[in-house]
Amino acid sequence: MSPTGTPASPTDTSLAPAPTRHTFRSVAPVLALCWLAVFFDGMDVNVYGAVMPHMLDDPSLGLTPGAAGTIGSWTTFGMLIGALATGTLTDWLGRRPVLVTSVLLFSAGSAACALAGTPALFGAGRFLAGLGLGGLMPLCLSMVMEFAPPRRAALATGLLLTSYHAGGMVATGLGLTLAPAVGWRSVFWVGVLPAVVAAPLLLRLLPESPGVLLAKGRTAEADAIADRYGMARPVAADAPPPGAKGRLAAIRALFRPGMRGATPLLWLASFCGLLLVYGVSTWLPQMMRATGYGLTSSVSFLLIINAGGIAGMLITGRLADRFGALAVSALWFLLTAAGALLLGAHLPLALTYVVVAITGVWLFSAQAMVYAAADRLYPPAERATGLGWVTGIGRTGAVVGPWLGGALAAGGNDQLGFTAFALAGLLGAVAIGLVAVTGRRGRG
């Protein structure tokens, strides 16, 4: 009965529960689950750099600096394949099962590394881990961006990526404590934990994307999930295009008028950003050691730069929501270049820690804001495809970064890595700065 005593009409919404407000609180479960997945991603990526000095000192493995750089590139080559394959697999299977599969793959790769007796077998394990890691990041980014309040997408991106650096700090801590005490293999055994901890939680608790459900024709489920998390119900324009023809059409749309110049520039900026992220994560301890710092100090720099990365994500997300992701990313790339040059100078230890921390604030957030810029520039139906290609093409930078560090180290030119990374920061600043210019011209 209605309050007036007359029967309630079937279309009367006065008795319906109030819709959930679309706030950070309403989407916290999605953010928390994706945060956990990316935490293990950051731990797995950074663990190689954290234990590399111990691996190079292990005569039974026979690892050389040149081979170490090549193996780092195998990891990121696997990530490139994983990132580009994720979109197609998501169309068939959905985001949640693909994300769980990604976690299981990089856990299996970590186990293979722990068992490896030669550099070749170790590299095969890192390649397998890369396949899983490559799909994980774009999936988590697209999930969080879809579920987050639209005006807080940059902040949500920053909050999500704090987990990557938290994982990197844990990996460094393991490299400083567990590796010297028990051996470097024990650290890779810790990398099996995601299969035990994260995979069951994701499979049980993570909701599927409403846009993906709508594309599959499961409209009622899509609407129910959108209502539960306070989102606007998806419409046909928000759904990713189904099938092979739809995916080709979505890729062509990335080069429509207004975006045909911006899209390759986003790819270039992502290339530079991921070259910096993976090059520094892999080679910072060894480069600092070559500069004259002790082994413990050199590995601890990786801990400090990831701590700076966490602070940077919290600061940068708010700045980008206010001033724009493009402007903040360009400035952060420039400051990263300056920080890299400073790290090449042998400063007093206390000052070096400060420079490393501040550089971490800029370095990782510059790349995160490339993702946030892509989220703002592409409309909903193109967003998953656009973000997938920005991350996928950017993975070539993740291949080049570790290889470049290894090539310089093999030639006895470790310190030139700082100059190379500074040039990558400068190029990234130019690329992301030009995105805004080409976008305005395309709309003009």
Side-chain angles (χ1 to χ4, degrees), residues 25-440:
R25 180 175 296 180
S26 67
V27 299
V30 174
L31 183 58
L33 288 165
C34 289
W35 194 98
L36 177 65
V38 177
F39 168 85
F40 285 119
D41 179 325
M43 190 175 78
D44 193 278
V45 168
N46 283 274
V47 75
Y48 184 41
V51 302
M52 186 188 297
H54 300 283
M55 295 175 66
L56 290 171
D57 292 341
D58 180 2
S60 67
L61 184 63
L63 185 67
T64 65
T70 301
I71 288 172
S73 295
W74 290 357
T75 310
T76 49
F77 183 66
M79 294 171 76
L80 169 63
I81 296 173
L84 294 178
T86 293
T88 301
L89 292 173
T90 300
D91 280 349
W92 294 339
L93 304 173
R95 287 183 183 165
R96 181 174 59 184
V98 174
L99 184 56
V100 171
T101 302
S102 297
V103 172
L104 294 176
L105 274 176
F106 74 74
S107 296
S110 190
C113 288
L115 293 169
T118 66
L121 291 175
F122 182 86
R126 292 305 290 166
F127 177 78
L128 178 62
L131 289 175
L133 293 167
L136 187 143
M137 183 67 80
L139 280 172
C140 287
L141 282 166
S142 60
M143 287 290 285
V144 168
M145 288 177 177
E146 180 178 6
F147 278 80
R151 294 185 179 181
R152 291 292 180 263
L155 178 58
T157 302
L159 288 171
L160 172 66
L161 293 181
T162 60
S163 60
Y164 176 92
H165 304 292
M169 292 176 70
V170 169
T172 307
L174 294 172
L176 286 169
T177 57
L178 196 61
V182 188
W184 61 266
R185 295 179 187 276
S186 63
V187 181
F188 285 99
W189 281 120
V190 176
V192 180
L193 281 177
V196 179
V197 177
L201 289 174
L202 291 168
L203 192 60
R204 182 177 179 85
L205 301 176
L206 186 70
E208 185 54 90
S209 156
V212 170
L213 289 172
L214 182 66
K216 290 175 172 291
R218 296 158 62 179
T219 306
E221 293 176 64
D223 290 346
I225 290 175
D227 292 345
R228 186 188 315 158
Y229 291 93
M231 305 159 62
R233 289 185 172 184
V235 296
D238 298 333
K245 290 183 178 179
R247 289 199 60 77
L248 288 175
I251 293 170
R252 287 195 298 268
L254 303 181
F255 296 91
R256 59 181 165 73
M259 289 304 296
R260 60 171 59 109
T263 289
L265 286 168
L266 281 172
W267 291 358
L268 178 58
S270 185
F271 169 89
C272 293
L274 288 174
L275 186 154
L276 285 164
V277 168
Y278 288 92
V280 170
S281 295
T282 302
W283 283 104
L284 181 64
Q286 191 64 23
M287 288 193 305
M288 299 303 282
R289 192 180 183 187
T291 306
Y293 297 96
L295 175 60
T296 300
S297 295
S298 298
V299 175
S300 67
F301 289 135
L302 196 58
L303 179 70
I304 298 300
I305 202 168
N306 277 290
I310 291 177
M313 293 299 175
L314 297 174
I315 296 167
T316 306
R318 293 185 179 276
L319 289 175
D321 281 331
R322 182 173 180 181
F323 298 107
L326 291 172
V328 173
S329 182
L331 177 59
W332 262 219
F333 269 119
L334 283 175
L335 292 172
T336 298
L341 290 176
L342 281 174
L343 290 177
H346 190 88
L347 303 171
L349 183 59
L351 182 57
T352 302
Y353 277 120
V354 173
V355 173
V356 169
I358 296 176
T359 302
V361 170
W362 303 321
L363 186 155
F364 300 105
S365 298
Q367 173 63 21
M369 291 306 103
V370 174
Y371 297 143
D375 176 67
R376 295 284 181 89
L377 289 168
Y378 293 119
E382 299 167 19
R383 194 166 292 150
T385 300
L387 186 60
W389 278 85
V390 167
T391 55
I393 297 298
R395 293 295 183 189
T396 59
V399 173
V400 171
W403 167 84
L404 179 61
L408 292 172
N413 298 310
D414 303 74
Q415 287 184 273
L416 287 180
F418 296 110
T419 303
F421 293 142
L423 290 174
L426 181 60
L427 181 58
V430 172
I432 199 68
L434 288 174
V435 169
V437 176
T438 58
R440 284 196 296 268

